[in-house]
Amino acid sequence: MSENPTPPSRAELRAHLVRTMIAGDVATPRQNNLRHYRRMAAGDPYYQFGLEFKRSWTEAGVLALMVERCGVNPDPRHVYGDDTIDPDLTIDALESMGDRIGQAARRRERVVLATGHPATLTPIYQAVSEALRRAGCTVLTPAEGWTYEIALDYGGVEPRRLVYAPGGVAMLEDDGGRTQHTHDAAPMEAMLRELAAESDDWPDLAIADHGWAGAAGQAGIDAVGFADCNDPALFAGAAEGKIHTVVPLDDGISSQHYAPLTAYLLHRAGLL
């Protein structure tokens, strides 16, 4: 973030989050949320983000968790329409994330960064990566070019390739070079296999989302990241002590709207 933006106050950030629908009343459909809660509770790996849970989660238990940690509507009879994210929970978690990133900077830790939402969240990760590099941290970029196949909803398979955006942010692309959304834990697991086998550069911190964060947390790495209100697995991982911090937010907003949040995060970390 070479332009060194002025970080907002907490009140200013809260107003911005609500105005842009990053938090507050969000556009994530309630019916989508409940479907994901049900599938995570049923043990569907796609919705568990690479985490192995210690307890048996029920759909009601997942809803209660998401009320507590994300601020979704607590009424189980609310089954259709939009849902909510508590902006104060967003900022509280953002501050916790900032504290952990600041600690990484002071310790000059080894860090991996990755996103399953390359179209929207990449600039946040790039700004954090740039700041951590300036502070003397090592940003690791293992398994570049690793490929695997995903099953398509309509049948068949399609290849995915692990690539790095400028700044060392891992993501997936298809054969046409287009970046792709993913929940999968497999790419982070591939990154960690390479690090474990070929070097001593085991990460101290993962800054990520979706299965990238889940796989890192499952491997015992401190993981901080972002999750929407339809992504309960990371919140469950945090409740079980496997994920350090999860910031609840709508992860599909236009990327420029995350700039004040990014400035607040870096300022909290002492990097802005």
Side-chain angles (χ1 to χ4, degrees):
M1 295 183 68
S2 57
E3 68 272 21
N4 292 323
T6 302
S9 68
R10 182 181 176 109
E12 289 168 339
L13 179 60
R14 189 186 192 283
H16 173 79
L17 296 175
V18 172
R19 182 172 61 253
T20 57
M21 298 178 68
I22 293 173
D25 293 324
V26 296
T28 311
R30 175 68 165 200
Q31 57 272 28
N32 182 265
N33 285 353
L34 296 178
R35 182 167 62 250
H36 287 202
Y37 302 171
R38 184 164 55 251
R39 290 178 177 176
M40 192 204 95
D44 187 328
Y46 187 74
Y47 296 93
Q48 293 191 313
F49 291 2
L51 288 160
E52 298 173 8
F53 297 116
K54 303 171 188 175
R55 57 169 283 185
S56 296
W57 288 93
T58 64
E59 186 178 352
V62 175
L63 176 58
L65 169 79
M66 296 301 287
V67 171
E68 175 188 358
R69 291 180 174 259
C70 187
V72 301
N73 190 312
D75 186 354
R77 298 168 296 180
H78 177 48
V79 297
Y80 188 83
D82 293 333
D83 215 328
T84 55
I85 295 174
D86 185 335
D88 290 306
L89 291 178
T90 301
I91 298 173
D92 288 346
L94 195 68
E95 291 175 351
S96 175
M97 178 189 279
D99 291 343
R100 182 61 186 86
I101 290 171
Q103 183 182 68
R106 292 189 297 275
R107 294 176 175 178
R108 298 187 176 182
E109 290 183 342
R110 297 175 297 274
V111 182
V112 290
L113 303 99
T115 183
H117 270 282
T120 55
L121 298 183
T122 298
I124 304 176
Y125 294 106
Q126 289 176 315
V128 172
S129 176
E130 180 184 339
L132 287 174
R133 287 175 186 269
R134 287 199 306 265
C137 291
T138 300
V139 175
L140 303 170
T141 56
E144 184 170 11
W146 178 81
T147 60
Y148 73 120
E149 292 182 334
I150 64 161
L152 302 174
D153 291 340
Y154 49 84
V157 295
E158 190 171 279
R160 292 288 184 266
R161 180 182 300 104
L162 196 160
V163 297
Y164 285 90
V169 183
M171 56 187 64
L172 295 182
E173 68 176 18
D174 63 18
D175 265 356
R178 295 174 293 269
T179 58
Q180 296 290 319
H181 171 271
T182 184
H183 283 193
D184 290 355
M188 177 60 78
E189 291 167 350
M191 291 165 62
L192 297 180
R193 283 195 301 271
E194 181 171 302
L195 289 172
E198 297 183 6
S199 74
D200 296 324
D201 286 332
W202 189 251
D204 302 296
L205 177 65
I207 306 169
D209 51 64
H210 288 183
W212 305 91
Q218 182 63 36
I221 299 163
D222 269 6
V224 299
F226 306 100
D228 208 329
C229 55
N230 64 355
D231 293 331
L234 294 186
F235 296 99
E240 293 193 359
K242 290 189 173 185
I243 303 292
H244 184 284
T245 299
V246 186
V247 178
L249 50 68
D250 188 321
D251 53 20
I253 302 298
S254 295
S255 59
Q256 69 268 21
H257 292 314
Y258 297 109
L261 177 152
T262 305
Y264 191 91
L265 174 65
L266 292 177
H267 183 259
R268 178 75 181 200
L271 296 171
L272 185 64

